[in-house]
Amino acid sequence: MSDILIQFLFGATAVTTALVAGVFLAFSDFIMRSLTAARPNSGLEAMQVINRKVLRSAFVTGLLLLVPVMTGLAAYAWLAIEGPSRDWFVAGAVIYMMGTFAVTLLGNVPMNNHLEALPTDSTEARDYWRVYARRWTRLNHLRTAASAMAAVCLLVGTVVHA
């Protein structure tokens, strides 16, 4: 692969990863705080709607497409690139896969599914909402940091490779 194509692919992947981090940051910074400041039933219902709408969004498309893209680019870097840029590229992919994708798949998604199954006006839902909001947001902080760190690794790798 030409160096220009490598730089473009890793640079575009870094930008996409940074955009994912930005969405996570918005949730960690003000969206979840706003939802938890609302009446419990209102915040819970709004989050249920968000969780339904996000499934058909450009955000989820990017979040999921980054998995095979990162896997492929990391494998290419490991096998075909020598020097420090390879390490940056592989580190970015590993951080994304473990800190963003795995946390989403194993943490946030099961919580979203459980929240979706609850009727918004039940006591069980209100009780779960308090636990959900706190734990979901902590996991989201981790996803924010991991996505941002992965984007930085990919950008540094791209610059070092240049």
Side-chain angles (χ1 to χ4, degrees):
M1 233 187 286
S2 77
D3 283 347
I4 292 173
L5 182 57
I6 291 168
Q7 289 170 309
F8 173 78
L9 290 173
F10 279 102
T13 303
V15 169
T16 304
T17 306
L19 290 170
V20 167
V23 172
F24 289 146
L25 177 62
F27 269 86
S28 285
D29 185 35
F30 62 88
I31 294 171
M32 288 305 290
R33 285 190 294 128
S34 298
L35 294 176
T36 57
R39 291 185 317 274
N41 290 2
S42 298
L44 185 153
E45 184 175 9
M47 191 64 178
Q48 286 176 328
V49 171
I50 290 168
N51 287 335
R52 285 182 218 124
K53 296 293 183 185
V54 77
L55 295 175
R56 290 182 198 78
S57 69
F59 169 74
V60 165
T61 301
L63 176 78
L64 296 177
L65 281 178
L66 281 171
V67 173
V69 169
M70 292 256 194
T71 302
L73 291 176
Y76 175 80
W78 186 259
L79 297 171
I81 297 175
E82 294 193 19
S85 62
R86 175 186 66 191
D87 299 334
W88 285 106
F89 293 148
V90 171
V94 169
I95 291 167
Y96 182 83
M97 298 300 251
M98 299 304 293
T100 304
F101 184 69
V103 170
T104 299
L105 189 65
L106 300 173
N108 296 83
V109 169
M111 292 180 71
N112 291 346
N113 292 341
H114 184 75
L115 185 71
E116 178 62 28
L118 298 173
T120 58
D121 58 352
S122 69
T123 303
E124 179 187 3
R126 282 191 303 279
D127 292 343
Y128 183 68
W129 173 245
R130 284 189 282 279
V131 173
Y132 171 95
R134 190 172 44 256
R135 181 165 184 249
W136 191 97
T137 302
R138 283 187 194 133
L139 292 172
N140 197 65
H141 293 337
L142 178 59
R143 297 188 304 172
T144 303
S147 297
M149 288 188 321
V152 168
C153 287
L154 295 173
L155 286 174
V156 170
T158 302
V159 169
V160 169
H161 190 75

